[in-house]
Amino acid sequence: MRVQVDMSKCQAYGLCAEEAPDVFELDEWGYPELTDDGAVPDGQAPRVERAVGACPAQAIRATN
Ligand code: SF4
């Protein structure tokens, strides 16, 4: 799985980092930075799916 964040939609709510802290790290303004260039480690996919659902801005896209 790979994950992308549409930064034109992201509103820095930070819920992605709460759901999947090993994949999303927030910068000093609360915007997510993807670890490992968006590659989702094995076992993290369920957390990323929850992040996709939790994002109020619908800014996260995950592809297999
Ligand atoms: S949950 Fe969505 S809007 Fe909030 S920081 Fe993450 S990607 Fe951005």
Side-chain angles (χ1 to χ4, degrees):
M1 175 185 275
R2 296 193 72 82
V3 66
Q4 296 173 297
V5 176
D6 183 341
M7 297 310 290
S8 71
K9 292 183 179 176
C10 176
Q11 299 292 321
Y13 292 114
L15 297 179
C16 50
E18 287 184 23
E19 295 289 352
D22 291 342
V23 176
F24 302 93
E25 289 179 356
L26 300 183
D27 68 14
E28 59 188 300
W29 297 283
Y31 287 94
E33 295 178 330
L34 294 173
T35 58
D36 203 17
D37 205 25
V40 176
D42 286 348
Q44 291 291 314
R47 286 177 167 270
V48 170
E49 297 285 5
R50 285 206 294 276
V52 170
C55 175
Q58 299 179 338
I60 306 169
R61 188 158 153 248
T63 52
N64 287 312

